[in-house]
């Protein structure tokens, strides 16, 4: 395949970022047209690349050029486009395109509309950079760029303090993970002298890397993924990141960036698979994250936060799939999740855009006023819950089967329970927000403009059909499309049945409590008050972090500040006072001696010059005389030397 | 101490005669007030120098000396004198302000030069031998083989000097893109004006005009 | 030699012999004298053409030295003669340019008095 294509896919957002930043406001739609146009082309090219690789998987590109040459070490820039990357390219460009178009409506009238689109282009560029990288170093660069654009977009409305704080929190928490990531990369690099995926995989599979290095490397990489993909214990930034514009949440904090961690782990799975202990860690972190955040989602009332915790939970699923070695299942779920979660977020954005509130208790009965939004939202919810034949069903089912077949029984039951909770909390949201009595705000709700609903419809269609590739006879199965080693994923009817059953149960319970109101939710809340409180307050994790990490740091900082004030400042002030006295003295000295010396020098030079310039008579013969005298002197010297 | 032979005495007489002419006319060159006469004595000095060259068996150089110095440069200088000045200008002072100092310095120069020459030993002239092929052939061979590059460089230098001299000395009117015919015509008119004034030499007239 | 002459020694036959028997050194003395005369001319004359003529004298003196030296070190060496040829050529070039400059200066200043040509001074 021509390497120009993938490079172009990456370069177009770079270009549109540059154009939008510099001269964006002179373009149609205040610069949005640039980003959208570039992305349309990128998306088409991605589809071309994807198709070409499906037709002929051997046309994988793996190119490198030397970027920095340190003699012993070289750092390469390169692209790696295989079927896996091609899938990601299509998903990223498609979701990004939908969000770009959707934002036309959602961000309409914002003062920094152009800037917003520049940030979106920056993000898309970085994300594509991650996908096409063929080495860890380059990936890390784009990884950080993604973090930056995420920070910028979360804090896009930085006039609001929570948004600014959330941006900062996201950045700092991700930095903790990135620190581990860097350690992992560098330990692998020091041990092998290369960042390249291909070389690292080969060396680790061949047993050429010591197990200690592999453990540190894999753990470090996983730590980076934990930060970026919001896993336990570094997930706390993601719910706060919902302060950003909702399309951003859909793009970055649901579909793409948070999935980058999963992508990273799936990409480096050959390294992980050589250290089974780390695989266990990955699996358990993923499973517990899935369960933990699902429980929190049950008790939330902010529509975006419910979706945020749901995202964390689903990311946990993917991580779990990676942990049990089913990279294909993880990426399959990543893709379907990207579609339906982006859809859910866009739907939520549509609701928020119309109602100007995030609180689901202030919604209710929205279905009649916002039919399109409600319909696509329900499609997304069914997909998320894993209701057949929606896409989520197939991908989640594959994960469940993988977990079961890998022999992690405990994890399997955790997954099943999480599936129940997922179905419950998302339908709780639907029954509260879209059905039942109309609230005050809902009565004035209006359907969002076409520019917002069309991307949602596109995503809804994909949410329905994306999973069908896994149906035997209909599609080739995701492992084939993603170019993974074929896992013998036969259909496990019992697992499928269980999954379907718990989903039905979850929906049913939600229906019973929030629609039919057989049981008053308030009474449940009171019956299990400690647990309810716990869930409502998100297991007090923020408070715990605050108490054990943030407060000590602040205390220590205060201590240092006090030390600073008393001793350092005292010393500085003393030095300052002394400096002032000394300067005054020096000023006098300066005027008298230094200036005197300078002026004296000038005077001497001038006087001397006045005297000497008389020699310059301009009469050539006098010059000849002087020259002759000099030669004469030489002759005399020569005479006495001879 | 062997006695002096007749040949030696004769050549000594020739040498001293020619040297006397060279030195004497050189002194006259720098002391005569009339620049035209100075130039004539310069020619005489060159001529006598050519004689000295003959006593040194350098007939070709002598010929060149006569041809170039006497014939070309000397005549050139005479032309320059006639173009720039009236031939006789007895009123004009001929020496500079720093006359005394210059004379003193060059006298000192001469004194120490003679002192130092006294310390230099050169071998006496060897016998020329029967081979009287002359130096012309030898010089020719030398110039076109061993000194070929300097020879060519000198020819380029001469051409450059020629062009440069033409450019520098050309009249300023001709610089303004005037066609040659026009320039010639104007010069002719100038000459007519000059002829009508017997006092001027023409050039001054021209100069006064612009 | 001459520097150490006692006036009473002038009649000694050795000295007469040394004076009469012409050696290369004699030519050097002549050349030196002519050179210094030329130098003096350069220093004391006001007329630019006279200065040019003095320079020619100095060059001439150098030619004498070269020819005499060449003759002293053997009649079959032509390096000195070739050098003199070059010097004459360069002198000719110098004379051409010098005279052209004098002409130009004369046209500009109406005079070739070198004392007046001091506009380059401070």
């Amino acid at each position: 395949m021509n390497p120009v294509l993938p490079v172009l896919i990456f370069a177009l957002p770079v270009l549109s970022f540059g154009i939008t930043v510099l001269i964006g406001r002179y373009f149609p739609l205040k610069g949005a047209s640039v980003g959208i146009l570039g992305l349309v082309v990128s998306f088409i090219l991605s589809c071309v690349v994807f198709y070409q690789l499906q037709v002929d998987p051997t046309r994988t590109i793996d190119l490198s050029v030397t970027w920095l040459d340190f003699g012993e070490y070289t750092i390469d820039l390169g692209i790696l486009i295989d079927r896996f990357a091609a899938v990601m390219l299509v998903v990223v460009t498609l979701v990004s395109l939908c969000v770009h178009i959707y934002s036309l409506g959602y961000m309409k009238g914002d003062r920094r509309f152009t800037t917003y689109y520049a940030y979106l282009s920056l993000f898309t560029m970085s994300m594509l950079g991650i996908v096409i990288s063929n080495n860890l170093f380059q990936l890390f660069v784009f990884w950080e760029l993604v973090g930056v654009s995420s920070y910028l977009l979360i804090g896009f409305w930085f006039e609001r303090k929570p948004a600014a704080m959330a941006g900062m929190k996201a950045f700092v928490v991700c930095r903790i993970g990135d620190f581990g990531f860097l350690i992992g990369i560098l330990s692998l690099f020091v041990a092998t002298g290369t960042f390249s995926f291909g070389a690292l995989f080969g060396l680790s599979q061949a047993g050429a890397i010591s197990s200690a290095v592999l453990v540190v490397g894999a753990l470090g990489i996983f730590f980076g993924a934990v930060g970026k993909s919001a896993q336990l214990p570094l997930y706390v930034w993601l719910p706060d990141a919902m302060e950003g514009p909702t399309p951003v949440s859909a793009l970055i904090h649901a579909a793409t960036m948070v999935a980058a961690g999963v992508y990273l782990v799936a990409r480096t799975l050959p390294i992980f698979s050589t250290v089974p202990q780390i695989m266990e860690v990955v699996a358990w972190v993923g499973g517990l994250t899935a369960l933990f955040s699902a429980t929190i989602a049950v008790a939330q009332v902010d529509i975006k936060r419910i979706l945020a915790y749901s995202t964390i939970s689903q990311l946990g699923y993917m991580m779990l799939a990676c942990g049990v070695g089913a990279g294909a299942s993880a990426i399959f779920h990543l893709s379907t999740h990207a579609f339906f979660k982006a859809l859910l977020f866009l739907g939520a954005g549509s609701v928020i855009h119309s109602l100007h509130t995030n609180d689901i208790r202030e919604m209710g009965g929205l279905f009649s006023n916002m039919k399109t939004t409600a319909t696509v939202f329900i499609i997304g919810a069914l997909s998320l819950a894993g209701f057949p034949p929606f896409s989520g069903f197939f991908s989640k089912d594959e994960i469940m089967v993988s977990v079961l077949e890998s022999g992690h029984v405990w994890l399997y039951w955790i997954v099943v329970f999480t599936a129940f909770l997922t179905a419950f909390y998302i339908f709780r949201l639907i029954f509260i927000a879209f059905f039942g009595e109309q609230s005050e705000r809902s009565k004035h709700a209006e359907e969002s403009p076409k520019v917002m609903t069309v991307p949602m419809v596109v995503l809804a269609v994909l949410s329905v059909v994306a999973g069908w590739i896994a149906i035997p006879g209909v599609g080739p199965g995701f492992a084939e499309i993603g170019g993974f080693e074929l896992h013998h994923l036969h259909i496990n009817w019992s697992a499928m049945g269980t999954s379907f059953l718990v989903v039905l149960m979850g929906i049913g319970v939600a229906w019973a409590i929030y629609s039919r109101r057989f049981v008053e939710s308030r009474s449940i809340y009171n019956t299990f008050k400690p647990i309810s409180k716990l869930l409502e307050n998100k297991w007090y994790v923020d408070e715990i972090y605050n108490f054990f990490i943030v407060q000590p740091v602040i205390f220590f900082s205060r201590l240092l500040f006090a030390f600073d004030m008393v001793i350092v400042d005292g010393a500085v002030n003393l030095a300052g006072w002394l400096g002032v006295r000394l300067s005054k003295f020096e000023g006098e000295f300066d005027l008298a001696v230094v200036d005197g010396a300078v002026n004296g020098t000038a005077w001497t030079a001038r006087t001397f010059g006045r005297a000497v310039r008389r020699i310059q008579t301009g009469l050539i013969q006098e010059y000849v005389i002087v020259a002759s005298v000099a030669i004469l002197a030489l002759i005399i010297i020569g005479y006495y030397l001879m | 101490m062997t006695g002096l032979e007749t040949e030696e005495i004769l050549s000594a007489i020739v040498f001293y005669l020619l040297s006397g002419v060279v030195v004497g006319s050189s002194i006259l060159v720098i002391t005569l007030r009339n620049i035209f006469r100075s130039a004539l004595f310069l020619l005489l000095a060159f001529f006598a120098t050519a004689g000295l060259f003959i006593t040194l068996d350098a007939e070709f150089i002598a010929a060149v000396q006569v041809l170039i110095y006497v014939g070309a440069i000397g005549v050139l200088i005479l032309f320059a004198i006639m173009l720039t000045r009236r031939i006789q200008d007895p009123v004009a002072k001929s020496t500079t302000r720093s006359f005394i100092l210059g004379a003193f310095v060059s006298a000192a120069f001469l004194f120490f030069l003679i002192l130092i020459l006294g310390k230099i030993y050169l071998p006496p002239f060897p016998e020329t031998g029967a081979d009287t092929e002359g130096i012309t052939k030898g010089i020719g061979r030398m110039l076109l083989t061993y000194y070929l590059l300097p020879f060519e460089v000198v020819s380029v230098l001469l051409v450059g000097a020629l062009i440069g001299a033409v450019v520098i000395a050309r009249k300023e009117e001709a610089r303004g893109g005037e066609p040659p015919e026009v320039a010639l015509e104007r010069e002719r008119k100038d000459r007519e004006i000059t002829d009508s004034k017997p006092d001027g030499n023409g050039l001054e007239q021209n100069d006064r005009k612009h | 030699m001459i520097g150490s002459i006692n006036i009473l020694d002038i009649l000694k036959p050795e000295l007469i012999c040394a004076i009469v028997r012409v050696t290369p050194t004699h030519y050097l003395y002549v050349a030196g004298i002519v050179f210094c005369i030329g130098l003096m001319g350069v220093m004391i004359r006001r007329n630019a053409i006279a200065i040019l003529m003095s320079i020619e004298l100095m060059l001439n003196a150098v030619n004498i030295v070269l020819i005499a030296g060449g003759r002293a070190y053997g009649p079959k060496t032509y390096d000195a003669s070739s050098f003199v040829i070059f010097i004459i050529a360069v002198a000719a070039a110098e004379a051409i340019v010098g005279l052209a400059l004098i002409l130009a200066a004369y046209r500009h200043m109406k005079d070739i008095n070198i004392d007046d040509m001091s506009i380059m001074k401070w």
Side-chain angles (χ1 to χ4, degrees):
Chain A
M1 193 194 347
N2 193 339
V4 171
L5 282 185
V7 169
L8 208 58
I9 293 171
F10 168 71
L12 282 167
V14 177
L15 202 65
S16 53
F17 169 65
I19 292 175
T20 316
V21 156
L22 296 175
I23 48 172
R25 58 214 157 87
Y26 303 115
F27 281 85
L29 299 174
K30 290 189 201 160
S33 57
V34 181
I36 292 173
L37 197 68
L39 210 48
V40 167
V41 180
S42 265
F43 171 62
I44 293 169
L45 291 175
S46 300
C47 290
V48 171
V49 169
F50 178 73
Y51 174 74
Q52 285 186 342
L53 281 170
Q54 290 306 318
V55 172
D56 184 2
T58 58
R59 297 167 83 182
T60 298
I61 301 175
D62 190 352
L63 285 176
S64 287
V65 290
T66 302
W67 178 37
L68 298 172
D69 194 340
F70 297 126
E72 197 176 343
Y73 296 124
T74 59
I75 294 179
D76 291 350
L77 286 183
I79 54 171
L80 170 63
I81 308 291
D82 51 9
R83 285 180 288 176
F84 181 11
V87 171
M88 290 296 291
L89 283 180
V90 173
V91 170
V92 169
T93 50
L94 178 59
V95 175
S96 184
L97 180 59
C98 289
V99 168
H100 268 76
I101 295 171
Y102 178 90
S103 299
L104 284 177
Y106 192 84
M107 299 299 286
K108 192 172 187 180
D110 194 279
R111 271 195 301 132
R112 296 186 300 133
F113 187 81
T114 312
T115 317
Y116 174 80
Y117 269 89
Y119 289 167
L120 277 189
S121 289
L122 176 65
F123 170 77
T124 311
M125 167 204 115
S126 330
M127 191 65 208
L128 291 172
I130 287 183
V131 173
I132 67 173
S133 294
N134 79 339
N135 61 65
L136 281 169
F137 184 82
Q138 194 181 343
L139 192 145
F140 184 74
V141 171
F142 289 114
W143 185 268
E144 292 294 331
L145 269 177
V146 163
V148 168
S149 42
S150 163
Y151 164 78
L152 291 171
L153 283 165
I154 293 171
F156 184 72
W157 289 316
F158 55 79
E159 307 89 356
R160 290 170 37 212
K161 194 157 186 256
M165 297 293 283
M168 229 166 343
K169 185 173 180 181
F171 200 71
V172 170
V173 174
C174 281
R175 282 300 315 165
I176 297 172
D178 294 345
F179 182 62
F181 187 21
L182 201 55
I183 290 175
I185 294 179
L186 290 178
S187 58
L188 284 174
F189 180 68
V190 169
T192 63
T194 178
F195 288 119
S196 159
F197 288 137
L200 283 174
F201 295 166
L203 288 170
S204 57
Q205 301 283 13
I209 308 176
S210 73
S211 59
V213 171
L214 277 176
V215 166
V216 172
L219 207 56
I221 292 172
F222 177 59
F223 208 59
V226 163
K228 209 57 120 193
S229 284
Q231 300 294 293
L232 278 176
L234 297 180
Y235 71 90
V236 288
W237 65 270
L238 186 55
D240 286 11
M242 296 302 134
E243 294 293 342
T246 309
V248 168
S249 306
L251 176 61
I252 300 184
H253 306 116
T256 51
M257 186 189 87
V258 288
V262 177
Y263 171 81
L264 176 65
V265 174
R267 181 55 104 182
T268 54
L269 213 50
I271 297 176
F272 280 89
S273 61
T274 54
V275 270
Q277 307 93 316
I278 304 294
M279 292 288 274
E280 284 296 302
V281 171
V282 173
W284 276 97
V285 166
L288 288 178
T289 306
L291 176 64
F292 187 75
S293 52
T295 56
I296 297 176
V298 168
Q300 296 302 307
V301 291
D302 183 318
I303 185 168
K304 285 183 72 180
R305 281 183 186 256
I306 294 173
L307 293 176
Y309 282 107
S310 156
T311 304
I312 299 170
S313 173
Q314 299 301 310
L315 290 167
Y317 268 106
M318 299 173 208
M319 212 53 99
L320 170 58
C322 290
V324 298
S329 310
I331 298 302
F332 186 25
H333 195 56
L334 191 160
S335 309
T336 57
H337 174 259
F339 297 138
F340 65 68
K341 187 52 66 66
L343 169 62
L344 285 173
F345 266 109
L346 295 185
S350 176
V351 171
I352 294 166
H353 190 61
S354 173
L355 267 65
H356 301 290
T357 179
N358 285 9
D359 195 332
I360 54 172
R361 289 170 302 189
E362 295 181 30
M363 302 171 188
L366 279 173
F367 191 85
S368 50
N369 282 348
M370 303 180 72
K371 284 207 164 53
T372 318
T373 303
T375 312
V376 297
F377 200 91
I378 290 166
I379 291 173
L382 285 168
S383 193
L384 170 65
F387 195 85
F390 297 94
S391 58
F393 168 74
F394 298 98
S395 52
K396 201 179 278 188
D397 188 57
E398 277 201 15
I399 291 176
M400 284 180 168
V401 173
S402 311
V403 173
L404 188 59
E405 290 188 350
S406 68
H408 295 81
V409 181
W410 277 101
L411 279 172
Y412 177 70
W413 288 112
I414 284 177
V415 168
V416 170
F417 185 59
T418 307
F420 165 74
L421 285 177
T422 307
F424 175 71
Y425 68 68
I426 195 66
F427 275 91
R428 165 177 172 266
L429 165 62
I430 284 181
F431 287 131
I432 291 177
F434 290 95
F435 298 100
E437 277 179 43
Q438 282 199 327
S439 67
E440 271 307 302
R441 283 172 184 269
S442 301
K443 281 172 186 159
H444 309 295
E446 284 174 13
E447 186 54 272
S448 298
K450 277 272 188 304
V451 75
M452 287 165 71
T453 52
V454 169
M456 289 197 286
V457 171
V458 170
L459 286 172
V461 172
L462 281 165
S463 298
V464 177
V465 302
W468 292 357
I469 52 169
I471 303 174
V474 176
F478 190 78
E480 172 65 25
I481 286 178
F484 290 93
E485 288 170 28
L486 273 179
H487 227 254
H488 59 291
L489 269 180
H490 52 81
I491 294 164
N492 189 327
W493 290 107
S494 65
M496 199 180 282
T498 316
S499 142
F500 183 53
L501 206 64
V502 295
V503 169
L504 274 186
M505 273 171 61
I507 297 174
V509 171
W511 177 75
I513 297 176
Y514 295 103
S515 185
R516 293 272 93 185
R517 297 180 189 278
F518 291 136
V519 190
E520 195 57 44
S521 58
R522 182 52 48 183
S523 66
I524 301 174
Y525 181 86
N526 288 332
T527 314
F528 302 103
K529 194 151 193 178
I531 298 176
S532 310
K533 274 276 176 202
L534 198 61
L535 295 182
E536 202 173 33
N537 289 301
K538 312 152 199 168
W539 297 81
Y540 295 103
V541 168
D542 276 335
E543 285 74 11
I544 291 168
Y545 282 0
N546 189 36
F547 185 77
F548 283 105
I549 298 172
V550 179
Q551 289 305 334
V553 168
I554 291 176
F555 175 73
F556 189 59
S557 306
R558 289 240 166 86
L559 207 65
L560 288 180
F561 178 68
F563 177 79
D564 226 34
M565 285 302 282
V566 176
I567 298 186
V568 180
D569 277 17
V572 169
N573 287 340
L574 185 67
W577 183 81
L578 284 175
V580 168
R581 308 299 308 180
L582 194 66
S583 303
K584 275 189 181 146
F585 170 72
E586 267 187 42
E588 301 292 322
F589 180 80
D590 224 34
L591 281 176
V593 181
V594 180
D595 279 15
V598 171
N599 290 339
T601 309
W603 181 85
T604 311
R606 197 171 57 222
T607 312
F608 188 67
R610 261 191 201 137
V612 165
R613 79 170 181 182
R614 310 237 165 247
I615 295 172
Q616 297 290 321
T617 56
L619 293 175
I620 193 143
Q621 283 156 316
E622 295 185 359
Y623 299 164
V624 171
I625 290 170
V626 173
S628 304
V629 169
I631 297 169
L632 188 60
L634 285 178
I635 289 175
I636 293 169
I637 291 168
Y639 174 70
Y640 286 110
L641 286 182
M642 270 168 87
Chain B
M1 188 83 237
T2 55
L4 293 168
E5 290 167 26
T6 322
E7 242 177 77
E8 283 178 329
I9 294 172
L10 276 178
S11 65
I13 290 170
V14 171
F15 169 74
Y16 282 110
L17 201 62
L18 289 172
S19 301
V21 171
V22 169
V23 173
S25 51
S26 296
I27 290 169
L28 287 175
V29 164
I30 67 158
T31 50
L32 281 179
R33 210 165 252 217
N34 188 326
I35 188 75
F36 188 73
R37 287 191 191 158
S38 290
L40 291 179
F41 277 108
L42 180 69
L43 295 192
L44 183 59
F46 286 156
F47 213 84
T49 309
L52 279 181
F53 289 162
I54 289 176
T55 65
L56 289 168
D57 293 337
E59 302 87 359
F60 180 70
I61 302 299
V64 168
Q65 172 88 3
V66 170
L67 279 176
I68 293 179
Y69 269 120
V70 181
I73 297 178
V75 172
L76 200 66
I77 288 171
L78 289 179
F79 264 106
I81 290 167
M82 287 192 286
L83 281 174
T84 53
R85 222 168 225 266
R86 265 172 234 136
I87 292 171
Q88 286 176 323
D89 188 3
V91 192
K93 203 172 147 234
S94 72
T95 51
T96 55
R97 307 191 291 199
S98 48
F99 163 66
I100 308 287
L101 185 61
F104 174 73
V105 168
S106 45
F109 209 98
L110 177 63
F111 177 70
F112 280 98
L113 203 60
I114 284 171
L115 276 189
I116 212 162
L117 283 176
K119 288 196 171 188
I120 292 173
Y121 173 76
L122 282 177
F125 289 122
E127 287 304 312
T128 330
D131 183 15
T132 51
E133 194 186 33
I135 66 167
T136 314
K137 195 173 172 185
I139 291 173
R141 188 174 291 123
M142 206 72 179
L143 283 181
L144 290 179
T145 54
Y146 192 74
Y147 289 114
L148 185 60
L149 186 64
F151 184 71
E152 297 297 337
V153 171
V154 161
S155 61
V156 172
L157 174 74
L158 279 173
V159 172
L162 193 67
I163 297 169
V166 170
V167 170
I168 293 169
R170 205 164 58 148
K171 284 190 180 173
E172 284 183 24
E173 294 97 318
R175 254 180 235 161
E178 212 174 20
E181 315 86 58
V182 181
L184 281 173
E185 177 66 14
R186 193 178 34 68
E187 265 185 53
R188 196 181 57 74
K189 276 182 188 160
D190 287 347
R191 215 167 289 129
E192 277 167 13
I193 296 166
T194 315
D195 290 346
S196 66
K197 285 187 177 179
D199 212 22
N201 74 348
L203 266 168
E204 282 174 339
Q205 286 294 326
N206 271 349
D207 291 335
R208 223 164 275 146
K209 255 174 69 188
H210 51 76
Chain C
M1 274 194 263
I2 286 183
S4 55
I5 297 176
N6 189 327
I7 195 75
L8 296 176
D9 293 341
I10 202 152
L11 296 175
K12 282 185 180 170
E14 296 91 342
L15 193 63
I16 291 169
C17 198
I19 290 172
V20 169
R21 186 170 284 152
V22 179
T23 62
T25 316
H26 289 75
Y27 286 91
L28 295 194
Y29 283 125
V30 172
I33 291 165
V34 173
F35 184 85
C36 287
I37 291 169
L39 186 64
M40 189 182 285
V42 169
M43 286 177 185
I44 66 172
R45 294 299 298 251
R46 292 176 80 210
N47 191 317
I49 293 178
I51 289 171
L52 204 68
M53 295 194 301
S54 306
I55 292 172
E56 297 294 340
L57 275 180
M58 290 160 82
L59 283 165
N60 213 36
V62 172
N63 284 351
I64 294 173
V65 172
L66 278 168
I67 296 293
R71 176 72 179 75
Y73 285 104
K76 287 281 177 281
T77 55
Y78 306 108
D79 298 270
S81 303
S82 307
F83 249 89
V84 170
I85 300 272
F86 291 137
I87 289 173
I88 290 173
V90 173
E94 176 248 318
I96 297 167
V97 176
L99 288 170
L101 281 172
I102 288 168
L103 272 185
Y106 174 76
R107 202 177 290 135
H108 191 72
M109 306 184 61
K110 316 282 184 289
D111 199 358
I112 50 172
N113 184 350
I114 204 98
D115 273 2
D116 300 338
M117 296 187 192
S118 61
I119 53 170
M120 294 290 279
K121 71 176 178 183
W122 47 273

